[in-house]
Amino acid sequence: MELRQLEYFVAVAEEFGFGRAAERLHTVPASVSRQIARLEHELGLRLFDRSDRHGVRHGVRLTAAGERLLPEARAALAAAARVRDTAAGITAGTEGLVRLGTTRAFADRVYRALDTLAARRPGLRVRLERAPQEARLAAVRSGTFDAALVRTLRRADGVALHPLWSEPLVAALPASHALALGLAEGEAPSLDRLARLPLRLAPRAADPALHDLVTAALPEWTPGPPFTTLQDTLTELAAHPEPSWALFHPVGPLPPMPRITFRTLPDLTVPVSLAIPSGRPPTPPVQALLEALATTTTPPPPAGTPPKGSAPTGTVPTGTAPTGTVPTGTVPTGTAPTGTATGKAPAGAVTSAVR
């Protein structure tokens, strides 16, 4: 059975004759008659009554079988039209599905980008897939993900990196030592000053790109005690008699930590990029997502936020968490399941909520 046969069947039924159907279809009546005969043969049913009454032909009428099949034929043609329209939308980037590898660290920025995308291209869906960074990159290379957000990397095998934004790192150090360094309220410490203190940095094997970035920025850095877990490291920073410090990625809010101060380091930033398969340009849907992410800016701080470069002792700026607590891209405990977003969240746009 061909769609053309169904199209001819519907035309004859609606025009009550082969001649008028042929005019509508821009063909000849004989062609319409042949297609209807083939359809009837394939279905094993008689669709039209072609008999004359009193020697006079009054056109063709649907048989009972034809009447029953007519709405099904119309539905099949409508479904085929939707397939064509969707395919055209995918080609144009207004329809389709993008499988985006991400992590909770990017949630705020991603959701705001999806708001933008929903306004521009409401037919385009984005499915958020959570995975560690190396797994996200592997999924892009294999084609399992269409794109993935990655941090710190400036190059990677098998993928093309499209820079989106940069994130400053955050330093955590004992509040008493911040005063000893002569830091005024709101003042970001210089890297030279911090280099004099032992640095609790995750091993290079846990996050090679970050480790290399930090050690390049601090060529004469002093290794401190090993970084263990977030809670333990901050506790040791506060309690250890010998001062040291640690670095943090922007991720999410931290619980208050007594005797610890957090300072943003504007001179030490890490890039965030969109990784796509190398060797070919982004597909139109991925290009639309890339543009939405690239134009999504950092939200302004709420009223009463401390000056840039500082945070109150025992708190951390919203959207930051320790670098080295887990390898880059690792999903923190309690991460919600993978979900699909139509470009907006929450407001019902996430099919399976990603929190």
Side-chain angles (χ1 to χ4, degrees):
M1 184 189 307
E2 300 176 1
L3 287 175
R4 182 174 61 170
Q5 294 172 334
L6 295 180
E7 184 180 6
Y8 282 24
F9 167 51
V10 171
V12 173
E14 293 177 347
E15 299 295 339
F16 303 102
F18 289 92
R20 289 187 293 272
E23 291 178 4
R24 169 171 154 179
L25 297 167
H26 305 290
T27 186
V28 296
S31 175
V32 176
S33 180
R34 284 194 300 270
Q35 292 298 331
I36 296 299
R38 290 173 183 170
L39 180 61
E40 289 179 323
H41 178 73
E42 291 180 15
L43 296 176
L45 295 170
R46 188 180 178 195
L47 301 176
F48 294 102
D49 183 357
R50 302 173 179 81
S51 61
D52 298 341
R53 292 185 178 182
H54 309 293
V56 179
R57 174 159 293 189
H58 295 278
V60 296
R61 296 178 302 154
L62 284 167
T63 63
E67 288 188 13
R68 174 65 186 86
L69 288 177
L70 181 59
E72 303 299 334
R74 286 171 172 155
L77 291 174
R82 288 194 298 272
V83 170
R84 286 191 291 268
D85 290 345
T86 301
I90 293 172
T91 301
T94 59
E95 296 272 352
L97 171 68
V98 178
R99 300 161 298 178
L100 175 65
T102 185
T103 185
R104 192 177 65 174
F106 305 122
D108 176 72
R109 198 115 181 197
V110 166
Y111 280 139
R112 287 187 289 111
L114 294 184
D115 281 337
T116 301
L117 196 61
R120 295 176 181 174
R121 308 189 183 213
L124 185 59
R125 295 187 300 130
V126 176
R127 179 185 297 156
L128 304 181
E129 306 277 6
R130 297 201 186 281
Q133 180 155 302
E134 286 303 316
R136 295 199 300 273
L137 289 169
V140 171
R141 295 186 189 104
S142 68
T144 303
F145 292 173
D146 300 301
L149 288 167
V150 295
R151 179 191 272 125
T152 309
L153 301 178
R154 299 190 184 276
R155 64 183 63 85
D157 293 337
V159 299
L161 298 178
H162 293 259
L164 294 173
W165 66 83
S166 294
E167 296 177 339
L169 295 178
V170 175
L173 66 160
S176 59
H177 203 72
L179 296 175
L181 287 175
L183 298 178
E185 183 70 25
E187 180 185 359
S190 68
L191 296 181
D192 289 341
R193 286 183 178 181
L194 289 173
R196 303 170 193 168
L197 292 177
L199 171 60
R200 297 172 182 261
L201 184 63
R204 188 178 186 279
D207 192 340
L210 175 70
H211 194 280
D212 292 347
L213 182 146
V214 172
T215 54
L218 300 167
E220 298 182 3
W221 71 293
T222 304
F227 194 102
T228 53
T229 66
L230 166 61
Q231 189 67 37
D232 289 347
T233 298
L234 294 181
T235 300
E236 290 177 11
L237 279 177
H240 202 281
E242 295 296 328
S244 59
W245 65 295
L247 278 174
F248 297 77
H249 267 315
V251 175
L254 291 175
M257 290 298 300
R259 299 185 298 280
I260 295 292
T261 188
F262 299 89
R263 301 293 176 95
T264 300
L265 301 178
D267 296 331
L268 193 56
T269 63
V270 294
V272 176
S273 305
L274 188 69
I276 66 169
S278 62
R280 60 180 182 270
T283 63
V286 170
Q287 181 65 38
L289 174 62
L290 176 60
E291 292 170 0
L293 287 166
T295 56
T296 301
T297 58
T298 303
T305 297
K308 183 177 180 181
S310 73
T313 300
T315 65
V316 69
T318 300
T320 60
T323 296
T325 57
V326 290
T328 300
T330 299
V331 181
T333 303
T335 299
T338 297
T340 301
T342 56
K344 189 174 182 181
V350 181
T351 303
S352 299
V354 181
R355 303 189 187 278

